[in-house]
């Protein structure tokens, strides 16, 4: 059974601090996505990581992918309150599976405190 | 570009009634649409994948007779929750992809909150 797990599930941190969210997945996949979700809202696409060693940065967020370890990280630098949200990773599509099917991770609720 | 809308954004209904949720791609042709369900403080769970003009493929554990999906055109898919019960209360999110876009990217709608009394 495919599993996509995130760690931690909840993170409270102070403004200005750094932290990393981890996303582990259990089967080979072409690509990995990171999304942000604000309360009561749908998903906002943050990053698409397409290959081993891929690194992408946008503002205070940086995502990387290690396909050999089946691990992606989302690093937060000098957090600000506006980054408070739930962050999901998603994996797909899968070889031999349905086209474009995504499996979502458990989510990480990030609360940035002043 | 690549905008997906959902209607309604929030619906409250009585137990035993049916509710239809629409998902539209506004500026592209969506050959594939996905329906997800999200319970409070949980992740998104894929319910079904629908390709235009064919029957939807349901995930294990999702009742196809309860969650009717129709994808009759390249811009519209509907999800009908039949004989809704309180346990069906959830946030339903659709996404879409199509050949005009990067086919491996899904564009998500704003979601529909369903409350069944």
């Amino acid at each position: 059974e495919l599993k996509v797990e995130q760690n931690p599930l909840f993170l409270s941190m102070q403004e200005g601090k750094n932290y990393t969210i981890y996303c582990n997945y259990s089967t080979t996949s072409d690509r990995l996505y990171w999304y942000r979700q604000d309360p009561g809202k749908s998903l906002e696409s943050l990053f698409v990581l397409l290959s081993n060693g891929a690194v992408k940065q946008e503002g205070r967020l940086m995502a990387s992918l290690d396909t050999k370890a089946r691990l992606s990280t989302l690093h937060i630098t000098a957090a600000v309150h506006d980054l408070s949200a739930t962050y999901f990773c998603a994996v797909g599509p899968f070889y031999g599976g349905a086209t474009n099917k995504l499996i979502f991770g458990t989510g990480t609720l990030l609360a940035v405190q002043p | 570009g690549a905008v997906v809308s959902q209607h309604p954004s929030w619906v409250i209904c009585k137990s035993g009634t049916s509710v239809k949720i629409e998902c539209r791609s506004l500026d592209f042709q969506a050959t594939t649409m996905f329906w997800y369900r999200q319970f409070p403080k949980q992740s998104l769970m894929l319910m079904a994948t629908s390709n235009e003009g064919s029957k939807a493929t349901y995930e294990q554990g999702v009742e196809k007779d309860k969650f009717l999906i129709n994808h009759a055109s390249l811009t519209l898919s509907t999800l009908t929750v039949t004989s809704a019960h309180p346990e069906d209360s959830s946030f339903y999110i659709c996404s879409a992809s199509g050949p005009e876009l990067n086919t491996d990217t899904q564009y998500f709608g704003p979601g529909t909150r369903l409350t069944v009394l």
Side-chain angles (χ1 to χ4, degrees):
Chain A
E1 181 190 347
L2 170 67
K3 289 185 178 179
V4 182
E5 295 183 338
Q6 288 180 235
N7 182 44
L9 298 180
F10 172 70
L11 173 60
S12 177
M13 57 190 297
Q14 286 187 312
E15 282 190 325
K17 299 293 187 181
N18 306 330
Y19 207 82
T20 299
I21 299 170
Y22 297 89
C23 173
N24 289 92
Y25 54 99
S26 62
T27 193
T28 303
S29 173
D30 261 356
R31 55 201 65 196
L32 188 134
Y33 302 80
W34 282 98
Y35 293 94
R36 168 182 171 144
Q37 185 179 39
D38 291 298
K41 302 295 177 90
S42 189
L43 301 180
E44 174 189 350
S45 178
L46 295 176
F47 302 107
V48 181
L49 302 170
L50 303 178
S51 59
N52 186 42
V55 177
K56 290 195 174 181
Q57 183 165 4
E58 182 72 34
R60 301 175 187 273
L61 301 177
M62 183 173 70
S64 67
L65 177 62
D66 181 344
T67 57
K68 293 180 181 178
R70 297 177 184 167
L71 170 68
S72 179
T73 62
L74 180 66
H75 186 73
I76 303 154
T77 301
V80 292
H81 181 69
D82 285 351
L83 289 180
S84 298
T86 299
Y87 293 85
F88 291 98
C89 64
V91 179
F94 303 98
Y95 300 116
T99 302
N100 297 352
K101 179 174 173 176
L102 291 181
I103 303 297
F104 280 81
T106 45
T108 297
L109 174 58
L110 172 64
V112 181
Q113 313 294 338
Chain B
V3 178
V4 177
S5 71
Q6 283 184 240
H7 174 80
S9 54
W10 191 4
V11 55
I12 302 174
C13 69
K14 289 185 177 180
S15 185
T17 61
S18 295
V19 173
K20 180 185 284 188
I21 302 170
E22 293 184 349
C23 176
R24 292 182 185 273
S25 57
L26 300 185
D27 51 5
F28 67 99
Q29 294 186 327
T31 50
T32 306
M33 286 187 169
F34 303 85
W35 287 96
Y36 295 88
R37 180 168 53 185
Q38 184 181 34
F39 292 108
K41 301 189 187 303
Q42 295 189 24
S43 188
L44 278 73
M45 299 298 296
L46 179 66
M47 299 175 67
T49 303
S50 76
N51 293 297
E52 185 266 337
S54 59
K55 290 184 178 179
T57 301
Y58 289 80
E59 294 298 302
Q60 192 173 7
V62 178
E63 300 174 59
K64 62 180 181 181
D65 294 330
K66 180 170 182 62
F67 298 99
L68 301 178
I69 292 173
N70 184 287
H71 190 170
S73 80
L74 285 171
T75 58
L76 173 65
S77 176
T78 60
L79 167 68
T80 301
V81 183
T82 62
S83 187
H85 287 94
E87 58 266 29
D88 299 323
S89 298
S90 187
F91 193 48
Y92 292 86
I93 302 175
C94 73
S95 69
S97 65
E100 304 166 51
L101 311 169
N102 180 341
T103 56
D104 293 320
T105 298
Q106 296 181 25
Y107 294 88
F108 287 83
T112 296
R113 185 164 305 282
L114 170 63
T115 302
V116 185
L117 303 178

